[in-house]
């Protein structure tokens, strides 16, 4: 995983019953004592995805719960991007 670059998890699970838009998947990414909660989505074909933009380098642990589940860790290293662009004023 690289700093300021989109990181994507793909997990298998049972297709949602009813509306795909209401599929419940949530991930918690933790690094250096900070937690980030991210909602996932159903991508079709029994695949759920969670996308995360890491803003700091370090070891991230992640845990996904809901219609798809999993956990693991990823090292975030400095990328080529300088970070988010913000307007002044």
């Amino acid at each position: 995983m690289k700093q300021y670059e989109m990181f994507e998890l793909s997990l298998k699970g049972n297709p949602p019953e009813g509306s795909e838009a209401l599929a419940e998947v949530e991930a918690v990414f933790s690094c250096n004592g900070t937690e980030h909660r991210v909602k996932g989505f159903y991508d079709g074909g029994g695949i759920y995805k969670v996308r995360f933009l890491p803003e700091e380098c370090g070891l991230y642990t992640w845990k996904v719960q809901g219609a798809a589940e999993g956990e693991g860790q990823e090292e975030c290293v400095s990328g080529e991007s300088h970070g988010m662009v913000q307007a002044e004023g």
Side-chain angles (χ1 to χ4, degrees):
M1 146 182 346
K2 291 189 179 180
Q3 185 181 25
Y4 299 117
E5 293 184 18
M6 190 64 60
F7 174 70
E8 182 176 274
L9 291 170
S10 294
L11 302 153
K12 290 185 179 184
N14 292 325
E17 295 180 17
S19 174
E20 293 178 358
L22 299 177
E24 290 290 325
V25 176
E26 184 179 67
V28 177
F29 290 85
S30 302
C31 181
N32 299 325
T34 303
E35 283 190 356
H36 302 276
R37 294 189 176 277
V38 180
K39 295 241 180 222
F41 62 94
Y42 183 66
D43 195 40
I47 302 295
Y48 291 83
K49 292 192 175 183
V50 175
R51 293 180 179 152
F52 175 65
L53 185 72
E55 295 183 7
E56 62 181 290
C57 292
L59 182 65
Y60 281 83
T61 59
W62 55 266
K63 185 171 185 176
V64 178
Q65 294 183 308
E69 297 188 352
E71 59 185 285
Q73 60 184 26
E74 287 286 327
E75 183 74 27
C76 180
V77 297
S78 184
E80 295 178 21
S81 176
H82 53 76
M84 304 296 284
V85 176
Q86 295 181 352
E88 289 187 26

